[in-house]
C-alpha cells in the first residue's frame, strides 16, 4: 500500500497517509506540533473527491506529536470544518492512539466534540493494541513502515 508524506508550515508538521481499502480504513501517522491551521490542511488533503468515498474507519497515530496547540474554540471550529468536508460520514469509527498525556487529553476533547455526530464513534486509546481492537484490526496493520513495534 503506498505511503505519501505531506509537509507544510514553519513547524514542519508531516503527515503520512496509508490507505487500506480492503478494510475501508485510512491510517494517519502525524509527526510534529499540531496547530489548528494544520488540521484544516489535513482535512483538505484527505477530502474525498468524486471517485473516492470517506473510509468507515480512521486511525490516528499521535506517537510523534509532542504538543497540540489549540484552544477549545479552535477545536470546535475544526469540528464544523469536518462536517463541511465530510458530511455526516455515516458509520465512521475513529481510533486515536495518543500515548502521551497532552495528546491523550486533547484527543479526548476532540472525541467529545465529535459526539455531536450521531453516526461517528470516536475513541482515544493509550495503547495501539486497544485501538486495533476498537477497529477490529490486527495491531500490526496499524504500524507504519519504518516504525518499530515496542517490545
Amino acid at each position: 500500500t503506498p505511503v505519501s508524506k505531506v509537509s507544510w508550515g514553519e513547524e514542519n508538521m508531516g503527515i503520512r497517509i496509508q490507505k487500506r481499502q480492503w478494510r475501508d480504513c485510512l491510517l494517519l501517522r502525524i509527526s510534529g506540533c499540531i496547530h489548528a491551521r494544520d488540521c484544516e490542511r489535513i482535512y483538505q488533503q484527505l477530502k474525498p473527491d468524486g471517485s473516492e468515498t470517506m473510509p468507515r474507519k480512521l486511525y490516528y497515530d499521535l506517537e510523534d506529536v509532542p504538543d497540540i496547540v489549540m484552544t477549545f474554540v479552535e477545536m470546535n471550529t475544526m469540528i464544523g470544518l469536518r462536517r463541511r468536508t465530510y458530511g455526516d460520514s455515516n458509520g465512521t469509527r475513529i481510533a486515536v492512539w495518543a500515548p502521551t498525556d497532552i495528546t491523550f487529553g486533547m484527543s479526548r476533547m476532540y472525541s467529545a466534540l465529535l459526539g455531536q455526530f450521531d453516526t461517528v464513534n470516536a475513541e482515544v486509546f493509550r495503547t495501539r493494541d486497544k485501538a486495533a481492537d476498537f477497529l477490529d484490526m490486527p495491531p500490526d496493520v496499524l504500524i507504519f513502515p519504518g516504525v518499530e513495534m515496542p517490545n
Side-chain angles (χ1 to χ4, degrees):
T1 304
V3 176
S4 62
K5 184 173 182 177
V6 179
S7 298
W8 52 75
E10 45 192 77
E11 293 79 31
N12 195 25
M13 183 194 142
I15 183 170
R16 294 190 322 172
I17 302 168
Q18 186 171 7
K19 294 184 181 182
R20 299 190 186 287
Q21 296 300 323
W22 62 274
R23 297 292 286 194
D24 194 20
C25 185
L26 178 65
L27 294 91
L28 301 172
R29 180 176 176 80
I30 301 175
S31 302
C33 185
I34 299 174
H35 293 78
R37 64 186 172 273
D38 298 319
C39 295
E40 290 181 30
R41 292 181 185 129
I42 291 168
Y43 283 159
Q44 293 304 316
Q45 177 69 25
L46 303 177
K47 184 177 179 179
D49 59 27
S51 64
E52 197 175 358
T53 59
M54 182 64 187
R56 295 291 176 230
K57 295 179 182 179
L58 296 171
Y59 170 72
Y60 291 89
D61 176 337
L62 303 184
E63 181 181 29
D64 290 334
V65 174
D67 198 4
I68 299 175
V69 181
M70 197 175 311
T71 66
F72 177 79
V73 171
E74 288 171 327
M75 191 170 289
N76 210 23
T77 300
M78 185 180 72
I79 296 297
L81 176 65
R82 183 189 191 285
R83 175 168 284 165
R84 289 189 303 279
T85 305
Y86 297 132
D88 288 331
S89 302
N90 193 14
T92 302
R93 293 177 68 84
I94 300 171
V96 180
W97 177 39
T100 66
D101 289 343
I102 188 69
T103 59
F104 186 83
M106 294 298 284
S107 297
R108 289 281 298 138
M109 184 167 51
Y110 175 74
S111 70
L113 289 169
L114 280 175
Q116 62 188 289
F117 296 96
D118 293 335
T119 60
V120 175
N121 185 0
E123 296 290 335
V124 182
F125 302 94
R126 292 273 190 180
T127 68
R128 185 186 287 127
D129 289 348
K130 289 185 180 179
D133 286 344
F134 176 75
L135 293 173
D136 193 27
M137 298 174 74
D140 62 328
V141 170
L142 303 182
I143 300 172
F144 281 81
V147 176
E148 296 295 324
M149 183 87 167
N151 295 330

